[in-house]
Amino acid sequence: MSQHALLSAGTKSWRSLACSRSELRLDLTLGCGQSFRWRETGDGHWTGVMGGRVWTLTQTDDTLWYHTYNSPNTIGADKRKRSAGSLLQGSKGSGKRSKGVIEVKEEEEGEPVAVTPDPDRKEEELLNDYFQLKVKLGDLYRDWGAADPHFNSIAKIFTGVRMLRQDPTECLFSFICTSNNHISRIQGMVERLCQSLGTPLCQLDQTSYHDFPSLHALADNSVEACLRDLGFGYRARFLQQSARQILDSHGGPHWLQGLRSVPYLQARDALRTLPGVGPKVADCVCLMSLEKACVVPVDTHVWQIAKRDYSFAAGNGQKSLTDKVHRQIGDFFKQLWGPYAGWAHSVLFCSDLKKFQKLKETHSLKQEEEEKVKIKVEGEGINKNIQKMCNRKVKMSVKEEVE
């Protein structure tokens, strides 16, 4: 049976790309409730499914390391790719391109040459896209810190929190599961959803990994009853009905992908026509998969942050969030943080999670120790100055007596 990869076992099967911890911290980014497919499978090693493959990620100070696993499906695909390559090489002058697998280029002499895409480069592109590594996080942190003293104090502890760019189908149906729920339970629900309806990918240390279900699998009439048996409750109906509506009324997954190219309000309103999608879920999908970086998803947790840390007064007399208060809080943070307000919000959201409170405690203890050392050093310096003054006085007294 295959095992989860560990960097300590050797780097031969691992690949890497340059990325500092200040630009990406895996534990914070993958554990703060953006995606629910990643688990810590070794010290500092995170395993999950992305792009139809199983990955293990880890990092050192300036490097992101990644390992991918072969599944029966990918092995079969590799064989088909090699067969396609042989056929193309044997048919000179065809000039055809096989669905992104083999690209045929013309040399100057007119002879076609089959070029197989570099798998390492494709995987690196997937990682760059998923973590949006082209966005310089350090620059954003400086801008947010300059505009917001509270953020500046949090940023010193919670560096490297990035916004993921997830597959819209996976993001949408995962967040439908978040209604009246918490992260650990949502992770379990999404895992059961994938195991029941997704394509098997591989098994590692007795853990089975599956791809996220397709819209067709989610829309099947048997899905609601199946998911109710798995503990999804009322959310089971929302998942099945939303999938069916996207297929029947919008033409399928291309509709969700297409929402990336429309304005935020249009994308949000389109998502809210789906069963089980309210303002918070729609905003999460817009921010985390549809490239709407300015969007600040607001729930009761974010509402409390706004009131406690920013003296935000709107809606104080109300017990629940209304669309108006939701909009007011979102607008407040957009004005404060600018076009990447949703990214800044994720840092504060992360810092408020109970699972990460030890980071704050560790930082406080470190500051206390540094303060003690500083006081001690300063005290020793004062004592030395006093001793010097005393020595000078003694010398002067002796000199006066001699004279």
Side-chain angles (χ1 to χ4, degrees), residues 9-47:
T11 61
K12 185 177 179 181
S13 64
W14 291 78
R15 290 176 290 279
S16 66
L17 57 89
C19 182
S20 67
R21 289 182 188 272
S22 62
E23 285 294 313
L24 168 64
R25 268 193 63 169
L26 290 175
D27 57 340
L28 301 181
T29 300
L30 298 179
C32 70
Q34 294 185 59
S35 171
F36 306 99
R37 302 300 313 277
W38 297 90
R39 302 289 186 278
E40 192 171 12
T41 52
D43 186 19
H45 290 63
W46 292 79
T47 302

Side-chain angles (χ1 to χ4, degrees), residues 58-69:
T58 190
Q59 62 186 149
T60 48
D61 287 342
D62 57 1
T63 305
L64 174 64
W65 295 87
Y66 60 97
H67 176 93
T68 57
Y69 304 85

Side-chain angles (χ1 to χ4, degrees), residues 147-367:
D148 178 0
H150 176 67
F151 180 92
N152 195 44
S153 65
I154 294 296
K156 296 172 184 177
I157 311 170
F158 292 87
T159 58
V161 181
R162 301 191 71 86
M163 187 55 57
L164 303 175
R165 185 178 184 265
Q166 301 178 61
D167 172 74
T169 298
E170 177 175 335
C171 188
L172 169 64
F173 287 91
S174 294
F175 273 91
I176 289 176
C177 298
T178 63
S179 175
N180 297 315
N181 226 334
H182 55 81
I183 292 176
S184 60
R185 188 161 181 263
I186 298 163
Q187 287 177 328
M189 292 173 69
V190 172
E191 191 61 34
R192 295 195 295 276
L193 179 70
C194 295
Q195 290 177 351
S196 300
L197 303 174
T199 302
L201 296 175
C202 69
Q203 188 171 15
L204 305 169
D205 292 321
Q206 299 182 334
T207 299
S208 297
Y209 291 90
H210 294 69
D211 204 357
F212 199 84
S214 67
L215 279 173
H216 288 280
L218 289 163
D220 190 271
N221 291 331
S222 64
V223 164
E224 181 179 349
C226 170
L227 295 182
R228 283 188 180 275
D229 289 341
L230 293 173
F232 281 67
Y234 63 88
R235 304 171 194 86
R237 177 169 56 88
F238 292 150
L239 290 164
Q240 192 274 333
Q241 289 185 352
S242 288
R244 175 52 56 196
Q245 183 171 317
I246 292 171
L247 290 174
D248 292 348
S249 302
H250 303 297
H254 296 297
W255 174 72
L256 283 173
Q257 294 281 351
L259 294 179
R260 283 178 168 167
S261 60
V262 305
Y264 157 60
L265 292 178
Q266 185 179 337
R268 182 202 63 186
D269 292 345
L271 290 170
R272 290 194 65 180
T273 64
L274 300 172
V277 179
K280 178 216 156 187
V281 170
D283 280 351
C284 285
V285 177
C286 283
L287 172 64
M288 300 171 191
S289 68
L290 300 182
E291 302 176 350
K292 318 301 181 193
C294 67
V295 177
V296 176
V298 178
D299 58 8
T300 54
H301 190 73
V302 174
W303 190 15
Q304 290 302 317
I305 291 174
K307 291 192 291 186
R308 183 191 67 214
D309 300 327
Y310 293 89
S311 302
F312 187 82
N316 270 345
Q318 300 173 357
K319 294 183 179 180
S320 60
L321 271 170
T322 63
D323 280 2
K324 180 180 179 181
V325 174
H326 185 282
R327 185 174 61 255
Q328 288 175 328
I329 295 172
D331 289 344
F332 168 76
F333 283 125
K334 286 175 197 174
Q335 291 175 5
L336 178 62
W337 294 323
Y340 280 84
W343 288 51
H345 136 276
S346 70
V347 179
L348 293 190
F349 185 88
C350 181
S351 74
D352 223 45
L353 293 174
K354 289 182 180 178
K355 65 191 293 185
F356 295 131
Q357 292 312 296
K358 284 186 177 180
L359 288 177
K360 288 183 178 180
E361 294 170 6
T362 302
H363 183 74
S364 296
L365 289 172
K366 185 179 178 182
Q367 282 187 319

Side-chain angles (χ1 to χ4, degrees), residues 135-153:
V135 177
K136 300 303 180 185
L137 196 60
D139 294 342
L140 292 177
Y141 267 65
R142 281 191 290 274
D143 291 344
W144 298 328
D148 178 0
H150 176 67
F151 180 92
N152 195 44
S153 65

